[in-house]
């Protein structure tokens, strides 16, 4: 990577993470050097991460799109032809104070149009189910309250899902991403030896001539049927990296890290082992962590020092065997046990 303005950095043979402004740092990456990318942008107007003027969450309206638009064009430049970049987002609630009305904003659509305007192809999207009861307890949103249904349901509405929207750089992909799935990431799918034996038994009951697929094929098809679903209802919502330690004294609330299941599905689908995965908004390190854990190389940029320090701590967990690593639900359980 060419020299760029960075305050702190960790570079080793598995990952390179830099503390600084992604819009500066990305200029140091060579053209067509990234195989896959994934990130959650700051959701415009929803939550301010810091008071730095380079923090994209501090821009609103046209300024936000100008700032983010610059990054979107740079992402296109550094990505290889025919390869992909995934963006995690949600539709945004509007508020009476900020927007003048209670309703929703099509943030996902705005993202799609910004990527298309920069020259990306809109490739795919998946909706990720979110529990409305948990959302109501967290956000206290009127639109989800049962009390509102009883009083006047004209203001009631469904919970807001998450989405992964994925874009492809025009041109032919020169290195195929080949191979079958040999594991399942998520909950509730049996791809064990016993599951395979049951598939063979049930098939033969139906038709004595039944020719089962070999086990590796059966497993891969089942996994793909789940991943190909337009709605993912089988993501482990609390499987995230630890984030509580990242809060600094001015923060109003915790960062929401992206679930590792979501990242890992995308990394597995759209990159091969040994390839390079980029996230311009590293946060507490989730995307780089999963990429490295899955045998890819990770690159990440993060502006906020307390998040960057937490990303370093989270990435150090990769040096431990998987069964000894700490995740956010372990930290919560320990906190509850200490109380
Ligand atoms: C939605 S969070 C990403 C969380 C991440 N997906 C995770 O799981 O940890 C967005 C991040 O962008 C960072 N950010 C905002 N503006 C930035 C900039 N110009 N350069 C680098 N990071 C920036 C914020 O500090 C925040 O950590």
């Amino acid at each position: 990577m060419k020299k760029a303005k960075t305050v702190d950095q960790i570079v080793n043979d598995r990952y390179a993470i830099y503390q600084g402004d992604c819009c500066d740092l990305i200029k140091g990456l060579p053209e067509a050097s990234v195989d896959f990318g994934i990130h959650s942008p700051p959701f415009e107007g929803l939550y301010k991460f810091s008071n730095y003027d380079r923090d994209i969450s501090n821009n609103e309206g046209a300024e936000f799109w100008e700032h983010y638009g610059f990054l979107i064009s740079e992402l296109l430049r550094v990505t290889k032809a025919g390869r992909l970049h995934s963006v995690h987002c949600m539709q945004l609630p509007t508020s009476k104070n900020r927007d003048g009305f209670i309703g929703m904003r099509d943030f996902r659509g705005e993202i799609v149009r910004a990527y298309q305007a920069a020259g990306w192809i809109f490739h795919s999207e998946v909706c990720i189910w979110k529990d409305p009861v948990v959302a109501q307890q967290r956000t206290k949103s009127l639109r989800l309250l049962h009390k509102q249904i009883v009083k006047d349901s004209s203001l009631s509405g469904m919970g807001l899902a998450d989405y992964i929207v994925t874009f492809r750089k025009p041109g032919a992909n020169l290195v195929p991403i080949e191979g079958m799935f040999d594991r399942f990431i998520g909950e509730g799918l049996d791809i064990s030896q016993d599951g395979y034996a049951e598939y063979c038994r049930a098939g033969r009951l139906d038709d004595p001539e039944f020719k089962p697929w070999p086990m590796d094929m059966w497993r891969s098809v089942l996994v793909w049927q789940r991943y190909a679903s337009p709605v993912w209802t089988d993501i482990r919502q609390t499987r995230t990296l630890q984030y509580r330690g990242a809060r600094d004294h001015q923060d109003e609330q915790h960062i929401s890290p992206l679930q590792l299941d979501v990242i890992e599905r995308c990394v597995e689908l759209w990159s091969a082992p040994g390839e390079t995965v980029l996230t311009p908004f590293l946060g507490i390190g989730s995307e780089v962590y999963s990429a490295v854990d899955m045998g890819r190389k990770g690159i990440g940029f993060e502006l906020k020092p307390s998040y960057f320090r937490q990303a370093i701590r989270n990435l150090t967990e990769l040096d431990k065997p998987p069964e000894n690593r700490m995740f956010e639900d372990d930290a919560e359980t320990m906190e509850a046990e200490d109380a």
Side-chain angles (χ1 to χ4, degrees), residues 21-22 54-56 257-258 281-282 284 286-287 302-303 307:
D21 178 3
C22 61
R54 291 187 164 238
D55 184 332
I56 293 193
L258 188 48
F281 300 118
L282 175 72
I284 55 149
S286 316
E287 291 84 353
E302 173 56 46
L303 192 63
Y307 293 168

Side-chain angles (χ1 to χ4, degrees), residues 20-23 39-43 49-50 54-57 67 255-259 263 279-287 301-304 307:
D21 178 3
C22 61
C23 294
H39 75 267
S40 291
F43 298 159
F49 290 104
S50 66
R54 291 187 164 238
D55 184 332
I56 293 193
S57 67
H67 200 158
I255 188 173
S256 298
L258 188 48
Q259 290 92 359
I263 304 170
T279 185
F281 300 118
L282 175 72
I284 55 149
S286 316
E287 291 84 353
F301 308 132
E302 173 56 46
L303 192 63
K304 186 166 164 156
Y307 293 168

Side-chain angles (χ1 to χ4, degrees), residues 137-334:
Q137 286 160 352
R138 204 170 55 82
T139 62
K140 312 272 180 272
S141 164
L142 194 80
R143 46 191 284 130
L144 293 173
L145 260 190
H146 182 260
K147 206 166 76 182
Q148 186 62 38
I149 290 281
V150 179
K151 197 165 122 193
D152 173 11
S153 59
S154 65
L155 280 184
S156 304
M158 288 77 188
L160 302 170
D162 279 350
Y163 290 86
I164 293 287
V165 282
T166 299
F167 303 94
R168 198 174 72 246
K169 178 166 174 170
N173 173 32
L174 296 181
V175 182
I177 308 164
E178 37 185 30
M180 290 199 267
F181 298 111
D182 58 8
R183 65 172 186 153
F184 172 65
I185 302 154
E187 59 190 358
L189 182 67
D190 181 8
I191 50 165
S192 66
Q193 275 289 351
D194 286 352
Y196 180 63
E198 177 52 27
Y199 149 77
C200 297
R201 195 192 62 80
R204 288 200 185 100
L205 266 184
D206 254 12
D207 168 12
E209 305 289 299
F210 173 66
K211 286 202 179 52
W213 278 321
M215 181 165 169
D216 58 350
M217 178 71 153
W218 166 81
R219 190 172 51 198
S220 189
V221 169
L222 280 195
V223 171
W224 176 230
Q225 284 171 352
R226 285 292 191 94
Y227 293 1
S229 165
V231 184
W232 286 349
T233 53
D234 48 5
I235 295 298
R236 288 166 291 184
Q237 298 290 332
T238 56
R239 190 174 164 251
T240 61
L241 292 184
Q242 295 187 70
Y243 57 87
R244 277 154 205 263
R247 197 173 182 164
D248 80 21
H249 60 282
Q250 290 155 338
D251 289 359
E252 309 138 37
Q253 63 180 80
H254 289 303
I255 188 173
S256 298
L258 188 48
Q259 290 92 359
L260 298 178
D261 282 3
V262 172
I263 304 170
E264 289 171 10
R265 283 187 182 187
C266 295
V267 166
E268 174 122 58
L269 251 176
W270 289 314
S271 71
E275 291 190 341
T276 299
V277 175
L278 166 72
T279 185
F281 300 118
L282 175 72
I284 55 149
S286 316
E287 291 84 353
V288 168
Y289 175 97
S290 289
V292 171
D293 202 25
M294 299 174 82
R296 279 71 172 167
K297 293 188 170 75
I299 301 180
F301 308 132
E302 173 56 46
L303 192 63
K304 186 166 164 156
S306 66
Y307 293 168
F308 188 75
R309 286 194 296 272
Q310 184 64 35
I312 296 176
R313 286 194 283 272
N314 283 331
L315 290 170
T316 316
E317 290 286 303
L318 287 165
D319 300 333
K320 300 180 186 167
E323 62 280 10
N324 294 348
R325 295 183 196 159
M326 285 279 283
F327 294 101
E328 185 56 28
D329 22 5
D330 302 322
E332 268 174 51
T333 313
M334 282 170 67

